[in-house]
Amino acid sequence: WLKTQRLLFSARWLGALSYAGSGLAVECWGYPHHLSAFAWVPWIFASSQRLLEKPGLGRFGLLAGCLSLQLLAGYPIFVFYTWISILFWVLSQKPGRKCRVALGTALVFSFLAASLQWLPFLEFLLDARRGGWWKEFPYFTRPVEYLTLFRPDILGLPASNLYRGTPANFAFNLYFGIVPLGVLLAGCLFLKRRHPWGWTGAAVGLLLWMGGGHIPFWGIFHLKWLEWLEPSKAAPVFLFCAATAAATVFARFQREGAAPGRAWLATAAGLFWVLDLLLVPFQVVRSVPNPYLTAQWKEKSSAIADLAGGGRILSLTPGPAYYSGENALEDSLLAPVESLMANANAVAGIRSPSFYLSIYPLELENLMKYTGEGFPYQGDLLDVAGVRLFLLPQPLPSPKYRVVGKSGDRYLNLNPGASGDMRFVPDGTALPSRSDVLNLLARPGSGWRDRVYLEQGPAGFASLAPLQRPRRAPSARGFTREGSGRASFQGDFRQPGYLVFNENCLPGWHAWMDGRPSPILRAYGLFMAVAVEAGSHQVDFRYEPTTFRLGLFISLLALALFFMGLLKALPALGHDRRRREET
């Protein structure tokens, strides 16, 4: 990208280090889904620049490929900010009609080529929610926090409960180097007209956008309908603009410093720049013990999972994300019990009520609201949800629970009668709405063990349509689960009834009975059930969204059209090449 800007080699090299070696990039080492979208930003700008310079099929394919790969990286909000910035930048270049058409076609083509990714995601997103959408990051809103640019731990250990700074600043997110920042500011003072005000202004504007909620009167622009924009996710584009501006300023200082007696200033600045960036990983990355690699962690997590008997665990005692002090390792070993973050629990095989296929499905909001209503959880809703173990500040007085241990001042309450992952229920009762079902389960004595509650409105039962495609699967006696999106049960049913699967009912799930498609009924307002007849049967549940097949077809069609155009253009390209050689 910086080569397309015709900068000197040293400036290009230092600018690239400022982007790839920034604090945000280093933090993304632990978040590959962030890094995979973050890394494509300069490639997209560079290929756009080449397409604007000379439109052609090869350059069109390069841009469309980069755009498609960023889409396939799977972080839509990063893609949104990248595309918005590309459109504004291209318009500022005042391109001709041919260039505008080529760029627009590349955007559309990349969207079609990546259909196999975004179509299933869109279907999934319509039935899931993340909560707390307006995620403004208050970057360095207090003067004392600017000291973390020099010493990230000056306000305490980052990410610990003793950290005295703004939580968003603990990871040094916006840091791309003290020296590059100084070069950029020096350019504002001395270069004047030759300063890259466009890139600097874009970086400052994005900075205000990300942390503007803490600036007086700026919050009025945070409209409710803009919640999905997540301003904090504009950070990669901010860093891209800032690194571009810093590299451009440095290149111009180099040209001015070519005179005898002044060249050493640019050389010294470059050396300090490299040293400054080499220190970033040591400043940002912390030597925190990894509990997943210790025997104590495995023993602790196995004991917890065995105690829960494969059921889910509910904790109302969240703990800090990281631990410090003499007992750091011991405290971190309790993290699966105390904080119950879905990601960490998946590693240990521990499941919370919110950890289904989707971490934040819309239907589970009712379940999470119920858990916040207080004690003693005498209703049946958590039993149906399979919550077997509770970590609470007090014992549960209901007779169906019993205390099996303590963790510090917290009590481990066991619910032996919680539902399993898959079970047979002989009878079913239809209620008019989901709210009727949940209100019934919120009270004790619902009879959920022998009766499944279904929703039957004017349009019939609430259900997921069967996938009209038979399948053959090897028989597996009993209940088997293959990952988060596959489960099977093979057994003898003495009477007709329902097989209930304790997994969130979301579009994309399909069921087969003995290889034949079967509709999925919404059971208990949250989960899935399939009607079964008496006899020996195998029931298979699979998460196979039909939108993936549709998206795959569109992607293959787009690629076929591109290669057809390429084959059609090859003779013309060869003719042009021969004509140039003759000339």
Side-chain angles (χ1 to χ4, degrees), residues 88-165:
F88 275 105
W89 174 73
V90 168
L91 291 176
S92 70
Q93 305 300 303
K94 299 179 180 179
R97 181 177 179 276
K98 186 177 180 180
C99 292
R100 293 198 304 270
V101 171
L103 181 68
T105 306
L107 291 173
V108 173
F109 175 83
S110 65
F111 206 61
L112 295 175
S115 296
L116 78 168
Q117 171 82 354
W118 65 263
L119 269 179
F121 173 78
L122 182 62
E123 179 189 27
F124 185 79
L125 192 64
L126 293 176
D127 289 273
R129 181 176 297 176
R130 294 183 57 188
W133 279 90
W134 188 260
K135 296 183 179 179
E136 62 195 20
F137 276 15
Y139 291 117
F140 307 115
T141 54
R142 294 182 295 172
V144 68
E145 292 180 339
Y146 283 92
L147 297 175
T148 61
L149 288 171
F150 299 93
R151 278 190 54 196
D153 58 348
I154 196 169
L155 298 178
L157 184 66
S160 73
N161 54 354
L162 301 177
Y163 187 63
R164 300 185 301 278

Coordinates of all heavy atoms in Angstrom, one line a residue, residues 88-165:
F88 N -15.2 6.3 0.8 CA -14.9 7.7 1.0 C -13.5 8.1 0.3 O -13.4 9.1 -0.3 CB -14.8 8.1 2.5 CG -16.2 8.4 3.0 CD1 -16.8 7.5 3.8 CD2 -16.8 9.6 2.8 CE1 -18.1 7.7 4.4 CE2 -18.0 9.9 3.3 CZ -18.7 9.0 4.1
W89 N -12.5 7.2 0.5 CA -11.2 7.5 -0.1 C -11.3 7.5 -1.6 O -10.7 8.4 -2.3 CB -10.2 6.4 0.4 CG -8.9 6.6 -0.3 CD1 -8.0 7.5 -0.1 CD2 -8.4 5.7 -1.3 NE1 -6.9 7.3 -0.9 CE2 -7.1 6.2 -1.7 CE3 -8.8 4.6 -2.0 CZ2 -6.3 5.6 -2.6 CZ3 -8.1 4.0 -2.9 CH2 -6.8 4.5 -3.3
V90 N -12.0 6.6 -2.2 CA -12.1 6.5 -3.7 C -12.8 7.8 -4.2 O -12.4 8.4 -5.2 CB -12.8 5.3 -4.1 CG1 -13.2 5.3 -5.6 CG2 -12.0 4.0 -3.9
L91 N -13.9 8.2 -3.5 CA -14.6 9.4 -4.0 C -13.7 10.6 -3.9 O -13.8 11.6 -4.7 CB -15.8 9.6 -3.1 CG -17.0 8.6 -3.4 CD1 -18.1 8.9 -2.4 CD2 -17.4 8.7 -4.8
S92 N -12.8 10.7 -2.9 CA -11.8 11.8 -2.7 C -10.8 11.8 -3.9 O -10.3 12.9 -4.2 CB -11.1 11.7 -1.4 OG -10.2 10.6 -1.4
Q93 N -10.6 10.7 -4.5 CA -9.7 10.7 -5.7 C -10.3 11.1 -7.0 O -9.6 11.3 -8.0 CB -9.1 9.2 -5.9 CG -8.5 8.6 -4.6 CD -7.3 9.4 -4.1 OE1 -6.4 9.6 -4.9 NE2 -7.4 9.8 -2.9
K94 N -11.6 11.3 -7.0 CA -12.4 11.8 -8.1 C -12.1 10.9 -9.4 O -11.6 11.4 -10.4 CB -12.1 13.2 -8.5 CG -12.4 14.2 -7.3 CD -12.1 15.6 -7.7 CE -12.5 16.6 -6.5 NZ -12.2 18.0 -6.8
P95 N -12.4 9.6 -9.3 CA -12.1 8.7 -10.4 C -13.0 8.9 -11.5 O -14.1 9.4 -11.4 CB -12.2 7.3 -9.7 CG -13.3 7.5 -8.7 CD -13.1 8.9 -8.2
G96 N -12.6 8.4 -12.7 CA -13.4 8.4 -13.9 C -14.5 7.4 -13.8 O -14.6 6.5 -12.9
R97 N -15.4 7.4 -14.8 CA -16.6 6.5 -14.8 C -16.1 5.1 -14.9 O -16.7 4.2 -14.2 CB -17.5 6.9 -16.0 CG -18.7 6.0 -16.0 CD -19.6 6.4 -17.2 NE -20.8 5.6 -17.3 CZ -20.9 4.4 -17.9 NH1 -19.7 4.0 -18.5 NH2 -22.0 3.7 -17.9
K98 N -15.1 4.8 -15.7 CA -14.7 3.4 -15.8 C -14.2 2.9 -14.5 O -14.4 1.7 -14.1 CB -13.6 3.3 -16.9 CG -13.2 1.9 -17.2 CD -12.1 1.9 -18.4 CE -11.7 0.5 -18.7 NZ -10.7 0.5 -19.8
C99 N -13.4 3.7 -13.8 CA -12.9 3.2 -12.5 C -14.0 3.0 -11.4 O -14.0 2.1 -10.7 CB -11.9 4.3 -11.9 SG -10.4 4.4 -12.9
R100 N -15.0 3.9 -11.4 CA -16.1 3.8 -10.5 C -16.9 2.5 -10.8 O -17.3 1.8 -9.8 CB -17.0 5.0 -10.6 CG -16.4 6.3 -10.1 CD -17.5 7.3 -9.8 NE -18.3 7.6 -11.0 CZ -18.1 8.5 -11.9 NH1 -17.0 9.3 -11.8 NH2 -18.9 8.7 -12.9
V101 N -17.1 2.2 -12.0 CA -17.8 1.0 -12.4 C -17.0 -0.2 -12.0 O -17.6 -1.2 -11.4 CB -18.1 1.0 -13.9 CG1 -18.7 -0.4 -14.3 CG2 -19.1 2.1 -14.2
A102 N -15.7 -0.2 -12.2 CA -14.9 -1.3 -11.9 C -14.8 -1.6 -10.4 O -15.0 -2.7 -9.9 CB -13.4 -1.1 -12.4
L103 N -14.7 -0.5 -9.6 CA -14.7 -0.7 -8.1 C -16.1 -1.2 -7.6 O -16.1 -2.1 -6.8 CB -14.4 0.7 -7.5 CG -14.3 0.6 -5.9 CD1 -13.1 -0.2 -5.5 CD2 -14.2 2.1 -5.4
G104 N -17.2 -0.6 -8.1 CA -18.5 -1.0 -7.7 C -18.7 -2.5 -8.1 O -19.3 -3.3 -7.3
T105 N -18.3 -2.9 -9.2 CA -18.4 -4.3 -9.7 C -17.6 -5.2 -8.8 O -18.1 -6.3 -8.4 CB -18.0 -4.5 -11.1 OG1 -18.7 -3.5 -11.9 CG2 -18.3 -5.9 -11.6
A106 N -16.4 -4.8 -8.4 CA -15.6 -5.6 -7.5 C -16.3 -5.8 -6.1 O -16.2 -6.9 -5.5 CB -14.2 -5.0 -7.3
L107 N -16.9 -4.7 -5.6 CA -17.6 -4.9 -4.3 C -18.8 -5.9 -4.4 O -18.9 -6.7 -3.6 CB -18.1 -3.5 -3.9 CG -17.1 -2.5 -3.5 CD1 -17.7 -1.1 -3.2 CD2 -16.3 -2.9 -2.2
V108 N -19.6 -5.7 -5.5 CA -20.7 -6.6 -5.7 C -20.2 -8.1 -5.9 O -20.8 -9.0 -5.3 CB -21.6 -6.1 -6.9 CG1 -22.6 -7.2 -7.2 CG2 -22.2 -4.8 -6.6
F109 N -19.2 -8.2 -6.7 CA -18.7 -9.6 -7.0 C -18.2 -10.2 -5.7 O -18.4 -11.4 -5.4 CB -17.6 -9.5 -8.0 CG -16.9 -10.9 -8.2 CD1 -17.5 -11.8 -9.1 CD2 -15.8 -11.2 -7.6 CE1 -16.9 -13.0 -9.3 CE2 -15.2 -12.5 -7.8 CZ -15.8 -13.4 -8.7
S110 N -17.4 -9.5 -4.9 CA -16.9 -10.1 -3.6 C -18.1 -10.5 -2.7 O -18.0 -11.5 -2.0 CB -16.0 -9.1 -2.9 OG -16.7 -7.9 -2.5
F111 N -19.1 -9.7 -2.7 CA -20.3 -10.0 -1.9 C -20.9 -11.3 -2.3 O -21.3 -12.1 -1.5 CB -21.3 -8.8 -2.0 CG -22.2 -8.7 -0.8 CD1 -21.6 -8.5 0.5 CD2 -23.5 -8.8 -0.9 CE1 -22.5 -8.3 1.6 CE2 -24.4 -8.7 0.2 CZ -23.8 -8.5 1.5
L112 N -21.0 -11.5 -3.6 CA -21.6 -12.7 -4.2 C -20.7 -13.9 -3.9 O -21.1 -15.0 -3.6 CB -21.9 -12.5 -5.7 CG -22.9 -11.5 -6.1 CD1 -23.0 -11.4 -7.6 CD2 -24.3 -11.9 -5.5
A113 N -19.4 -13.7 -4.1 CA -18.4 -14.8 -4.0 C -18.4 -15.3 -2.5 O -18.1 -16.4 -2.3 CB -17.1 -14.3 -4.4
A114 N -18.7 -14.4 -1.6 CA -18.6 -14.8 -0.2 C -20.0 -15.1 0.4 O -20.2 -15.2 1.6 CB -18.0 -13.7 0.7
S115 N -21.0 -15.4 -0.5 CA -22.3 -15.7 0.0 C -22.4 -16.9 0.9 O -23.2 -17.0 1.8 CB -23.2 -16.0 -1.2 OG -23.4 -14.8 -2.0
L116 N -21.5 -17.9 0.7 CA -21.5 -19.1 1.5 C -21.2 -18.8 3.0 O -21.5 -19.6 3.9 CB -20.6 -20.2 1.0 CG -19.1 -20.0 1.2 CD1 -18.3 -21.3 0.9 CD2 -18.5 -18.8 0.5
Q117 N -20.6 -17.6 3.2 CA -20.3 -17.2 4.6 C -21.4 -16.3 5.2 O -21.9 -16.5 6.3 CB -19.0 -16.5 4.6 CG -18.6 -15.8 6.0 CD -18.0 -16.8 6.9 OE1 -18.0 -18.0 6.7 NE2 -17.6 -16.3 8.1
W118 N -21.8 -15.3 4.5 CA -22.6 -14.3 5.1 C -24.1 -14.6 5.1 O -24.8 -14.1 6.0 CB -22.4 -12.9 4.5 CG -22.8 -12.7 3.1 CD1 -22.0 -12.8 2.0 CD2 -24.1 -12.4 2.6 NE1 -22.7 -12.6 0.8 CE2 -24.0 -12.3 1.2 CE3 -25.3 -12.2 3.2 CZ2 -25.1 -12.0 0.3 CZ3 -26.4 -11.9 2.4 CH2 -26.3 -11.8 1.0
L119 N -24.6 -15.5 4.2 CA -26.0 -15.8 4.2 C -26.3 -16.7 5.4 O -27.3 -16.4 6.1 CB -26.3 -16.6 2.9 CG -26.8 -15.8 1.7 CD1 -27.1 -16.7 0.5 CD2 -28.1 -15.0 2.1
P120 N -25.6 -17.7 5.8 CA -25.9 -18.4 7.0 C -25.7 -17.6 8.2 O -26.4 -17.7 9.2 CB -24.9 -19.6 7.0 CG -24.4 -19.8 5.6 CD -24.5 -18.4 5.0
F121 N -24.7 -16.7 8.2 CA -24.5 -15.8 9.3 C -25.7 -14.9 9.5 O -26.1 -14.6 10.7 CB -23.2 -15.0 9.1 CG -23.0 -13.9 10.2 CD1 -22.5 -14.3 11.4 CD2 -23.3 -12.6 9.9 CE1 -22.3 -13.3 12.4 CE2 -23.1 -11.6 10.9 CZ -22.6 -12.0 12.1
L122 N -26.2 -14.3 8.4 CA -27.3 -13.4 8.5 C -28.5 -14.2 9.1 O -29.3 -13.6 10.0 CB -27.7 -12.9 7.1 CG -28.8 -11.9 7.1 CD1 -28.5 -10.6 7.9 CD2 -29.1 -11.5 5.6
E123 N -28.8 -15.4 8.7 CA -29.9 -16.2 9.2 C -29.7 -16.4 10.7 O -30.6 -16.3 11.5 CB -29.9 -17.5 8.5 CG -31.1 -18.4 9.0 CD -31.0 -19.8 8.4 OE1 -29.9 -20.3 8.1 OE2 -32.0 -20.5 8.4
F124 N -28.4 -16.7 11.1 CA -28.1 -16.9 12.5 C -28.3 -15.7 13.3 O -28.8 -15.7 14.4 CB -26.7 -17.5 12.6 CG -26.3 -17.9 14.0 CD1 -26.7 -19.1 14.5 CD2 -25.5 -17.0 14.8 CE1 -26.3 -19.5 15.8 CE2 -25.1 -17.4 16.0 CZ -25.5 -18.6 16.5
L125 N -27.9 -14.5 12.7 CA -27.9 -13.3 13.5 C -29.3 -12.8 13.8 O -29.6 -12.2 14.8 CB -27.2 -12.2 12.6 CG -26.9 -10.9 13.3 CD1 -25.9 -11.1 14.5 CD2 -26.3 -9.9 12.3
L126 N -30.3 -13.2 12.9 CA -31.7 -12.8 13.1 C -32.3 -13.4 14.3 O -33.3 -12.9 14.9 CB -32.5 -13.2 11.9 CG -32.2 -12.4 10.6 CD1 -33.0 -12.9 9.4 CD2 -32.4 -10.9 10.8
D127 N -31.7 -14.5 14.8 CA -32.2 -15.2 16.0 C -31.2 -15.2 17.2 O -31.4 -15.9 18.1 CB -32.5 -16.6 15.7 CG -33.7 -16.7 14.8 OD1 -34.9 -16.8 15.3 OD2 -33.5 -16.7 13.5
A128 N -30.3 -14.3 17.1 CA -29.3 -14.2 18.2 C -29.0 -12.7 18.5 O -29.3 -11.8 17.7 CB -28.0 -14.9 17.8
R129 N -28.6 -12.5 19.7 CA -28.3 -11.1 20.2 C -27.0 -11.1 21.0 O -26.8 -12.1 21.8 CB -29.5 -10.6 21.0 CG -29.3 -9.2 21.4 CD -30.6 -8.7 22.1 NE -31.7 -8.6 21.2 CZ -32.9 -8.3 21.5 NH1 -33.2 -8.0 22.8 NH2 -33.9 -8.3 20.6
R130 N -26.3 -10.1 20.9 CA -25.1 -10.0 21.7 C -25.3 -9.1 23.0 O -24.6 -9.3 24.0 CB -23.9 -9.4 20.9 CG -23.6 -10.4 19.7 CD -22.4 -9.8 19.0 NE -21.3 -9.6 19.8 CZ -20.2 -8.9 19.4 NH1 -20.1 -8.5 18.2 NH2 -19.2 -8.7 20.2
G131 N -26.1 -8.1 22.9 CA -26.3 -7.3 24.1 C -25.3 -6.2 24.3 O -24.1 -6.4 23.9
G132 N -25.6 -5.0 24.8 CA -24.6 -4.0 25.0 C -24.0 -3.5 23.7 O -22.8 -3.4 23.6
W133 N -24.8 -3.2 22.7 CA -24.2 -3.0 21.4 C -23.4 -1.8 21.2 O -22.4 -1.8 20.5 CB -25.4 -2.9 20.3 CG -25.9 -4.3 20.0 CD1 -26.9 -4.9 20.6 CD2 -25.4 -5.1 18.9 NE1 -27.1 -6.2 20.0 CE2 -26.2 -6.3 19.0 CE3 -24.4 -5.0 18.0 CZ2 -25.9 -7.3 18.1 CZ3 -24.2 -6.0 17.1 CH2 -25.0 -7.2 17.2
W134 N -23.8 -0.6 21.8 CA -23.0 0.6 21.6 C -21.7 0.5 22.4 O -21.6 1.0 23.5 CB -23.8 1.8 22.0 CG -23.1 3.1 21.5 CD1 -22.4 3.9 22.3 CD2 -23.0 3.6 20.2 NE1 -21.9 4.9 21.6 CE2 -22.2 4.8 20.3 CE3 -23.5 3.2 19.0 CZ2 -21.9 5.5 19.2 CZ3 -23.2 4.0 17.9 CH2 -22.4 5.1 18.0
K135 N -20.7 0.0 21.8 CA -19.4 -0.3 22.5 C -18.4 0.8 22.2 O -17.4 0.6 21.5 CB -18.9 -1.7 22.2 CG -19.9 -2.8 22.6 CD -19.3 -4.1 22.4 CE -20.2 -5.2 22.8 NZ -19.7 -6.6 22.6
E136 N -18.7 2.0 22.8 CA -17.7 3.0 22.6 C -16.5 2.7 23.6 O -16.7 2.3 24.7 CB -18.3 4.4 23.0 CG -18.8 4.4 24.4 CD -19.7 5.6 24.6 OE1 -20.3 6.1 23.7 OE2 -19.9 5.9 25.8
F137 N -15.3 2.9 23.1 CA -14.1 2.7 24.0 C -13.6 4.0 24.5 O -13.2 4.8 23.7 CB -13.1 1.9 23.2 CG -13.3 0.5 23.2 CD1 -14.5 -0.1 23.6 CD2 -12.2 -0.4 22.8 CE1 -14.7 -1.5 23.6 CE2 -12.4 -1.8 22.8 CZ -13.6 -2.3 23.2
P138 N -13.6 4.3 25.8 CA -13.2 5.6 26.3 C -11.6 5.6 26.3 O -11.0 5.6 27.3 CB -13.7 5.6 27.7 CG -13.8 4.2 28.1 CD -14.1 3.4 26.8
Y139 N -11.0 5.7 25.1 CA -9.6 5.7 25.0 C -9.0 6.9 25.6 O -9.2 8.1 25.2 CB -9.1 5.6 23.5 CG -9.4 4.3 22.9 CD1 -10.3 4.2 21.8 CD2 -8.9 3.1 23.3 CE1 -10.6 3.0 21.2 CE2 -9.1 1.9 22.7 CZ -10.0 1.9 21.7 OH -10.3 0.7 21.0
F140 N -8.2 6.8 26.6 CA -7.4 7.8 27.2 C -8.2 9.1 27.5 O -7.9 10.2 27.0 CB -6.2 8.2 26.3 CG -5.4 6.9 26.0 CD1 -5.3 6.5 24.7 CD2 -4.7 6.2 26.9 CE1 -4.6 5.4 24.3 CE2 -4.0 5.1 26.6 CZ -3.9 4.7 25.3
T141 N -9.3 8.9 28.3 CA -10.1 10.0 28.6 C -9.7 10.8 29.8 O -10.2 11.9 30.1 CB -11.6 9.5 28.8 OG1 -11.5 8.5 29.9 CG2 -12.1 8.9 27.6
R142 N -8.7 10.3 30.5 CA -8.2 11.1 31.7 C -6.7 11.3 31.4 O -6.0 10.4 31.0 CB -8.4 10.3 33.0 CG -9.9 10.1 33.3 CD -10.0 9.4 34.6 NE -9.5 8.0 34.5 CZ -9.4 7.2 35.6 NH1 -9.7 7.6 36.8 NH2 -9.0 6.0 35.4
P143 N -6.2 12.5 31.8 CA -4.8 12.8 31.5 C -3.8 11.8 32.0 O -2.8 11.4 31.4 CB -4.6 14.2 32.1 CG -5.9 14.8 32.1 CD -6.9 13.6 32.4
V144 N -4.1 11.2 33.2 CA -3.1 10.3 33.8 C -3.0 9.0 33.0 O -1.9 8.4 33.0 CB -3.6 9.9 35.3 CG1 -4.9 9.1 35.3 CG2 -2.5 9.2 36.0
E145 N -4.0 8.7 32.2 CA -4.0 7.5 31.4 C -3.0 7.6 30.2 O -2.6 6.6 29.6 CB -5.4 7.1 30.9 CG -6.3 6.7 32.0 CD -7.7 6.3 31.5 OE1 -8.0 6.8 30.4 OE2 -8.4 5.6 32.3
Y146 N -2.6 8.8 29.8 CA -1.6 8.9 28.8 C -0.2 8.4 29.2 O 0.6 8.1 28.4 CB -1.5 10.4 28.3 CG -2.6 10.8 27.5 CD1 -3.7 11.4 28.0 CD2 -2.6 10.6 26.1 CE1 -4.8 11.8 27.2 CE2 -3.6 11.0 25.3 CZ -4.7 11.6 25.8 OH -5.8 12.0 25.0
L147 N 0.0 8.2 30.5 CA 1.2 7.7 31.0 C 1.4 6.2 30.6 O 2.5 5.7 30.5 CB 1.3 7.8 32.5 CG 1.3 9.2 33.1 CD1 1.3 9.2 34.6 CD2 2.6 10.0 32.6
T148 N 0.2 5.5 30.3 CA 0.3 4.1 29.9 C 0.9 4.0 28.6 O 1.3 2.9 28.2 CB -1.1 3.5 29.9 OG1 -1.9 4.2 29.0 CG2 -1.7 3.6 31.3
L149 N 1.1 5.1 27.8 CA 1.8 5.0 26.5 C 3.2 4.6 26.8 O 3.9 4.0 25.9 CB 1.7 6.3 25.8 CG 0.3 6.6 25.2 CD1 0.2 8.0 24.6 CD2 0.0 5.6 24.0
F150 N 3.8 5.0 27.9 CA 5.2 4.8 28.2 C 5.3 3.5 29.1 O 6.2 2.7 29.0 CB 5.8 6.0 29.0 CG 5.8 7.2 28.2 CD1 4.7 8.1 28.3 CD2 6.8 7.5 27.2 CE1 4.7 9.3 27.5 CE2 6.8 8.6 26.5 CZ 5.7 9.5 26.6
R151 N 4.3 3.4 30.1 CA 4.4 2.2 30.9 C 3.0 1.7 31.1 O 2.1 2.2 31.8 CB 4.9 2.6 32.3 CG 6.4 2.7 32.4 CD 6.8 2.8 33.9 NE 6.3 1.8 34.7 CZ 6.2 1.8 36.0 NH1 6.7 2.9 36.7 NH2 5.7 0.8 36.7
P152 N 2.6 0.6 30.4 CA 1.2 0.1 30.5 C 0.8 -0.3 31.9 O -0.4 -0.3 32.1 CB 1.3 -1.1 29.5 CG 2.5 -0.9 28.6 CD 3.4 -0.1 29.5
D153 N 1.7 -0.7 32.7 CA 1.4 -1.1 34.1 C 1.5 -0.1 35.1 O 1.4 -0.4 36.3 CB 2.2 -2.3 34.5 CG 3.7 -2.0 34.5 OD1 4.1 -0.9 33.9 OD2 4.5 -2.8 35.0
I154 N 1.6 1.2 34.8 CA 1.8 2.3 35.7 C 0.5 2.5 36.6 O 0.6 3.0 37.7 CB 2.2 3.6 35.0 CG1 2.8 4.6 36.1 CG2 1.0 4.2 34.3 CD1 3.4 5.8 35.5
L155 N -0.6 2.1 36.1 CA -1.9 2.2 36.8 C -2.3 0.9 37.4 O -3.5 0.7 37.8 CB -3.0 2.7 35.9 CG -2.8 4.1 35.3 CD1 -3.9 4.5 34.4 CD2 -2.6 5.1 36.4
G156 N -1.4 -0.1 37.5 CA -1.7 -1.4 38.0 C -1.6 -2.4 36.9 O -1.4 -2.1 35.7
L157 N -1.8 -3.7 37.3 CA -1.7 -4.8 36.3 C -2.9 -4.7 35.4 O -4.0 -4.8 35.8 CB -1.6 -6.1 37.1 CG -1.4 -7.4 36.2 CD1 -0.1 -7.3 35.5 CD2 -1.7 -8.6 36.9
P158 N -2.6 -4.6 34.1 CA -3.7 -4.6 33.1 C -4.7 -5.8 33.3 O -4.2 -6.9 33.5 CB -3.0 -4.5 31.8 CG -1.7 -4.0 32.1 CD -1.3 -4.5 33.4
A159 N -6.0 -5.5 33.2 CA -7.0 -6.5 33.2 C -7.3 -7.1 34.5 O -8.1 -8.0 34.6 CB -6.7 -7.6 32.1
S160 N -6.6 -6.7 35.6 CA -6.9 -7.2 36.9 C -7.9 -6.3 37.6 O -8.2 -5.2 37.1 CB -5.6 -7.2 37.7 OG -5.2 -5.9 38.1
N161 N -8.5 -6.8 38.6 CA -9.5 -6.0 39.3 C -8.9 -4.9 40.1 O -9.6 -4.1 40.7 CB -10.3 -6.9 40.3 CG -9.4 -7.7 41.2 OD1 -8.2 -7.7 41.1 ND2 -10.0 -8.4 42.2
L162 N -7.6 -4.7 40.1 CA -6.9 -3.6 40.8 C -6.5 -2.6 39.8 O -5.8 -1.6 40.3 CB -5.7 -4.2 41.6 CG -5.9 -5.2 42.6 CD1 -4.6 -5.7 43.3 CD2 -6.9 -4.7 43.7
Y163 N -6.8 -2.7 38.6 CA -6.3 -1.7 37.6 C -7.1 -0.4 37.8 O -8.3 -0.4 37.9 CB -6.6 -2.3 36.2 CG -6.1 -1.4 35.0 CD1 -4.7 -1.2 34.9 CD2 -6.9 -0.8 34.1 CE1 -4.2 -0.4 33.9 CE2 -6.4 0.0 33.1 CZ -5.0 0.2 33.0 OH -4.5 0.9 32.0
R164 N -6.4 0.7 37.8 CA -7.0 2.0 38.1 C -7.3 2.8 36.9 O -7.8 3.9 37.0 CB -6.0 2.8 39.0 CG -5.7 2.1 40.4 CD -4.8 3.0 41.3 NE -3.6 3.4 40.7 CZ -2.5 2.6 40.6 NH1 -2.5 1.4 41.2 NH2 -1.4 3.1 40.1
G165 N -7.0 2.3 35.7 CA -7.3 3.0 34.5 C -8.6 2.6 33.9 O -9.3 1.8 34.4

